[in-house]
Amino acid sequence: MRIVMVYREASEHRMAVESFIRDFEIQTGGKIEVINPDTREGNALCDVYDVVEFPTMLALTVDGSPVAVWRGTSFPTISEASAYN
């Protein structure tokens, strides 16, 4: 599985998102893939998973099926998110 965070760096949510990612990586040793929705790859991902709100965090299986989605700054706990990493 993989965890993907879709957000814009130039946003009011930047500090909250980056703090969550940093804490997640420190506490679990896992990685969260960061996607900018304004890139070609990010735009395609947003279309596929119907992401219209930023930030959005997705837990995806190896084949790309979404297992969990968190929209806005209501992030899961780190232990909850680590179950998908």
Side-chain angles (χ1 to χ4, degrees):
M1 280 204 226
R2 70 181 186 152
I3 299 176
V4 177
M5 179 72 77
V6 185
Y7 84 105
R8 291 183 173 103
E9 281 189 33
S11 73
E12 63 192 56
H13 307 296
R14 179 180 181 185
M15 294 301 291
V17 170
E18 291 176 357
S19 291
F20 180 84
I21 291 170
R22 183 184 61 249
D23 292 347
F24 179 86
E25 291 177 356
I26 288 169
Q27 292 181 33
T28 68
K31 295 293 273 176
I32 294 178
E33 183 180 343
V34 175
I35 301 287
N36 180 338
D38 297 325
T39 63
R40 179 174 290 160
E41 176 189 10
N43 192 348
L45 184 128
C46 290
D47 286 345
V48 168
Y49 296 106
D50 195 28
V51 175
V52 295
E53 182 180 352
F54 308 107
T56 293
M57 193 164 125
L58 304 159
L60 305 172
T61 62
V62 174
D63 68 358
S65 300
V67 178
V69 178
W70 299 273
R71 290 177 166 75
T73 55
S74 298
F75 302 127
T77 64
I78 290 177
S79 62
E80 181 182 2
S82 70
Y84 299 105
N85 197 337

